[in-house]
Amino acid sequence: MNYGQLKAWMRADPRSCPQCYVMAHAGGAKYSVEVEVKHHLEPLRDDDTGEVMQFDNVGQVGDRLKALGIEQGVLRLFDPYDEFATGDQPPCKEDMPIRF
């Protein structure tokens, strides 16, 4: 989803705020945002380049999303060893609600 699309969505109906996930990879230095659209996660992309938006810290993510009226989200931490989960274990267990 392009940033402009999210901006238009929030302008059209601020009460239907989508769930936004701030993705962090264990040991990684950058954060990205994924927006839940029809039960699927779509990465937030730059309008000009089409590249996935990368942030240096959660504060930058918050500043960008608060400008649209989004005040909360979910911080999701990915462990590089998640691919070795067995059985019915979800690959990621580290979700934490956050306010921007």
Side-chain angles (χ1 to χ4, degrees):
M1 164 176 283
N2 287 339
Y3 183 77
Q5 290 175 298
L6 182 57
K7 189 175 187 178
W9 180 350
M10 291 303 296
R11 262 196 239 144
D13 188 5
R15 292 170 290 147
S16 73
C17 182
Q19 184 70 277
C20 293
Y21 292 87
V22 179
M23 306 301 209
H25 297 274
K30 298 286 184 179
Y31 295 86
S32 61
V33 176
E34 293 194 12
V35 180
E36 187 173 0
V37 179
K38 297 182 182 179
H39 306 292
H40 295 281
L41 294 178
E42 293 187 19
L44 192 58
R45 298 181 180 278
D46 185 89
D47 290 329
D48 298 327
T49 63
E51 296 290 323
V52 174
M53 296 175 77
Q54 299 286 321
F55 302 91
D56 293 326
N57 56 55
V58 176
Q60 288 179 346
V61 174
D63 291 344
R64 201 67 190 255
L65 295 179
K66 279 187 352 185
L68 300 178
I70 300 171
E71 296 185 7
Q72 60 187 10
V74 176
L75 177 63
R76 179 169 281 179
L77 177 65
F78 283 100
D79 186 342
Y81 300 104
D82 281 345
E83 63 191 62
F84 299 111
T86 59
D88 293 337
Q89 290 179 331
C92 177
K93 298 181 193 174
E94 302 297 324
D95 283 357
M96 181 175 63
I98 57 173
R99 293 192 61 79
F100 302 119

